[in-house]
Amino acid sequence: MTTTRRRLAAAAAAVLGGLVLVLAGSWFVVERGVQRVLEREAVHLAENWAGTLGSELPRVERLIDGYPASREQIRFIRQMSALADVFRWRLFDETGTLTFDTRYFDELAAGWKMPAEAALGERASWPGAGDAWPRAYVEDGDGERTPRYYAVAFDRLVADGSEIGTLEVFIDQTEHRADLLETLLASGIVLTLLVVLAFLVPVAGLLWQIRVRAAADAAREHAATHDGLTGLLNRHAFGAVIDGKIAREPGVPFHLHAFNIRRFRQVNEALGYAAGDEVIRGVARRLGEQAGARCAVCRLGSDEFALVDATRPGLHEARALAEACLHEVSQPLPVGEGAHSPLIDCGIAQYPGDGTDAATLLTNASLALKTAAAEEGASIRVFHPSMERERARLLEVERRLRRAIEEGDFRLVFQPFFRPDGTLVGCEALLRLDCPEGRSMSPGEFIPIAERTRLIIPLGAQVLRRACTIAARWPDDLILAVNFSPVEFEADGPVKAVRRALATSGLPAHRLEIEVTESTLITNPDLVALQLDEIKEMGVRLALDDFGTGYSNLGQVSKYPFDRLKIDRSFVTALTEGDPQSGHMLHIIVAIGELLGLDITAEGVETAEQARQVARIGVDCVQGFRYSMPLDVEELERLLRQSASAAAAPSLGGVAAGRGS
């Protein structure tokens, strides 16, 4: 129980106890007050009786002396007994001996003596003989021989200044007591309500403050341990849950799943942050539903989640849960007025094999997740120690990329492409990063990491500016083509980069050709189409690279303002391996390309037979090792000088630069 709850419970107990005390006190006051009133009335009645009897002294003395009552006395006694609510009265002589009792009235009237058992000094030793007179007390009766409630009053009988006896009067006060109780209780209830109200107002204020404070404390506690957007546990609380479970059940296996949403940044930038929040909440809800009540689910970061599964210790079961999560999350999710189908990856780490604390397990699950995210399509990977080495390699590549951006420490090489008759048409510039040990890092090593870390955006902008600056020194009929990654099409990346590169380098727009891959078109087709249109409006040429890898078709290509199609090298390879379908496909692509007014370039031409086949099909350009290896800037400029001075050199139609392999 929290401190605030204990305070609330203590306050409630105090209020209840206070009410009980107030009610008990009120009842005691009323009861005591009624008793005092009845006693005073009994005293007053006894005093009146004593005065009346004193005025009838001769009659009284005869009774006190124990003589039989006369007719006149009998009449007097009956008159006195009819007064008020007296149901019995008695007389005592000066020695305290009982001499008359209305209970034995008939016997005494007949001249009998007081019964021996009654002629006792019952009140001779009554306490307070020297106290003030008259006096009285009240008693509860049995309702049969005596009333339910009655008073007994005493007063002295005095004649000529001398005490001649004592009077004892029994008064029925049952009805009077009931009337008084009713009256006083009504007043007491009103008074009690006023007191309770006066008590409850400040107490209610105190309880309200305690409740508000409790709600604020609970909100602070929830905010400290939960994610504000999804309501899931945050990283700190999730780690505490894992460490607590390990402490309670050391050695008992369980699995930790880490998830991330693919291309979530594009959702934010294309649809807005409100839509991004809807996607995050939807993914969180679906993961929670798949995990179940016994699994702890958390949001690790912007688009990253994790869950610890204590109910499925086996790896097969852990994979099944991951597959169920990937399938459920990928279902269309309402976003704004449309729908979005999120894709997530999953990395799995097992306790205790992959770590004995939350931090290690999270790190290793994240390593497995990064491995999964680097692959095509949503995937699941289980942590393996080799991933530690891979993580170190990835960190080293990332550091190398950052140095390339900050210091411009990269080089460009250019691979020419030609017309089938040998006329040089262009060169594709390939980005190269050199390692400290002297080897050149291939684009296949660093491009995926640059895309995942989004370093491709600043790096690509630098590559474009440098390539444009180099191409500006070439003859005016040469063209520069630059490859753009799908990641660079987030926001207005390519548009801004192209505009700035042309302005800084002075390269005419018609000499620049931007290449995009088919995967770029499916990432966010509407956003990509808008940016390609803007680039086209600047006068820049557009080319679709690696066409035929399965993402798009010629019908889709016609929706974009492309000038060139570059056929993927896999078609060329299959062409000379005896695959007749590849030849048919190439014929169709070239024919439709001509109808659409597109230039067709075949990539990866490495043998004379491949060159002969593609020339027979009728492609416009060819590129590959058969014609030229990639050349650095000095080698390319030397080739251009030689071509300009040699009459037999092939005519130069253009040079293309890119960052791929």
Side-chain angles (χ1 to χ4, degrees), residues 35-46:
Q35 181 178 336
R36 295 296 298 274
V37 169
L38 295 177
E39 287 177 351
R40 284 196 298 270
E41 288 186 352
V43 166
H44 183 64
L45 180 61

Side-chain angles (χ1 to χ4, degrees), residues 480-514:
L480 174 67
V482 179
N483 222 319
F484 271 82
S485 161
V487 178
E488 293 178 84
F489 276 86
E490 298 177 9
D492 293 328
V495 176
K496 294 178 180 178
V498 169
R499 186 175 288 116
R500 183 175 179 183
L502 292 177
T504 356
S505 66
L507 182 71
H510 69 274
R511 294 182 53 199
L512 177 63
E513 185 171 275
I514 299 298

Side-chain angles (χ1 to χ4, degrees), residues 199-250:
F199 176 73
L200 284 181
V201 167
V203 170
L206 175 62
L207 291 178
W208 176 257
Q209 290 180 353
I210 292 175
R211 184 174 181 181
V212 170
R213 191 179 298 115
D217 290 344
R220 282 193 296 271
E221 182 179 351
H222 188 274
T225 57
H226 290 74
D227 171 57
L229 179 62
T230 63
L232 299 178
L233 293 173
N234 59 23
R235 180 186 288 268
H236 176 74
F238 185 67
V241 168
I242 297 174
D243 287 334
K245 175 176 175 53
I246 292 173
R248 290 191 305 273
E249 302 173 344

Side-chain angles (χ1 to χ4, degrees), residues 254-259 307 309 312-323 326 345-351 354 361-372 379-384 387:
F254 65 85
H255 289 85
L256 189 149
H257 297 64
F259 301 91
L307 68 85
D309 180 14
R312 305 171 179 87
L315 181 58
H316 176 74
E317 295 169 311
R319 281 184 173 274
L321 174 61
E323 290 170 358
L326 265 63
D345 301 298
C346 178
I348 303 174
Q350 183 188 36
Y351 168 82
D354 299 333
L361 288 169
L362 279 170
T363 298
N364 291 339
S366 296
L367 285 175
L369 175 61
K370 289 180 180 179
T371 304
S379 60
I380 302 167
R381 287 293 174 267
V382 179
F383 174 77
H384 188 274
M387 293 180 181

Side-chain angles (χ1 to χ4, degrees), residues 45-327:
L45 180 61
E47 186 177 17
N48 290 339
W49 269 65
T52 303
L53 289 175
S55 66
E56 299 291 339
L57 187 59
R59 301 172 184 174
V60 174
E61 286 177 340
R62 186 173 181 84
L63 291 175
I64 292 175
D65 291 340
Y67 292 100
S70 65
R71 288 182 179 179
E72 184 181 359
Q73 287 175 326
I74 292 173
R75 187 169 56 253
F76 171 74
I77 291 170
R78 285 177 174 169
Q79 289 174 350
M80 292 294 291
S81 299
L83 294 175
D85 293 318
V86 174
F87 64 91
R88 182 183 179 188
W89 54 278
R90 301 193 296 181
L91 296 176
F92 298 85
D93 63 14
E94 64 273 12
T95 65
T97 301
L98 178 65
T99 62
F100 180 79
D101 188 342
T102 54
R103 178 179 293 176
Y104 306 105
F105 175 74
D106 292 336
E107 291 83 351
L108 293 173
W112 294 6
K113 295 292 185 181
M114 284 290 296
E117 66 273 13
L120 300 174
E122 297 180 17
R123 298 296 171 178
S125 61
W126 186 61
D131 293 342
W133 291 81
R135 57 177 66 98
Y137 68 94
V138 293
E139 284 191 357
D140 293 321
D142 57 13
E144 295 179 359
R145 296 181 59 212
T146 58
R148 288 286 185 187
Y149 195 84
Y150 64 95
V152 182
F154 299 87
D155 200 3
R156 293 179 296 179
L157 292 173
V158 180
D160 298 331
S162 299
E163 182 177 339
I164 64 171
T166 304
L167 170 68
E168 182 179 18
V169 183
F170 295 82
I171 307 159
D172 183 359
Q173 294 184 320
T174 303
E175 293 185 5
H176 193 195
R177 179 178 181 270
D179 293 340
L180 285 174
L181 279 177
E182 182 178 352
T183 302
L184 290 179
L185 277 177
S187 302
I189 289 173
V190 173
L191 179 61
T192 302
L193 289 176
L194 291 175
V195 172
V196 169
L197 183 61
F199 176 73
L200 284 181
V201 167
V203 170
L206 175 62
L207 291 178
W208 176 257
Q209 290 180 353
I210 292 175
R211 184 174 181 181
V212 170
R213 191 179 298 115
D217 290 344
R220 282 193 296 271
E221 182 179 351
H222 188 274
T225 57
H226 290 74
D227 171 57
L229 179 62
T230 63
L232 299 178
L233 293 173
N234 59 23
R235 180 186 288 268
H236 176 74
F238 185 67
V241 168
I242 297 174
D243 287 334
K245 175 176 175 53
I246 292 173
R248 290 191 305 273
E249 302 173 344
V252 178
F254 65 85
H255 289 85
L256 189 149
H257 297 64
F259 301 91
N260 78 313
I261 306 175
R262 285 195 173 226
R263 295 186 291 273
F264 175 68
R265 187 182 298 271
Q266 296 175 13
V267 175
N268 274 337
E269 296 181 349
L271 304 178
Y273 287 97
D277 289 346
E278 288 188 49
V279 172
I280 289 292
R281 283 191 291 266
V283 171
R285 182 178 63 256
R286 290 175 174 180
L287 287 177
E289 291 170 353
Q290 286 299 312
R294 296 184 60 189
C295 296
V297 185
C298 94
R299 184 185 180 197
L300 293 175
S302 173
D303 59 347
E304 296 181 353
F305 302 85
L307 68 85
V308 58
D309 180 14
T311 62
R312 305 171 179 87
L315 181 58
H316 176 74
E317 295 169 311
R319 281 184 173 274
L321 174 61
E323 290 170 358
C325 289
L326 265 63
H327 176 267

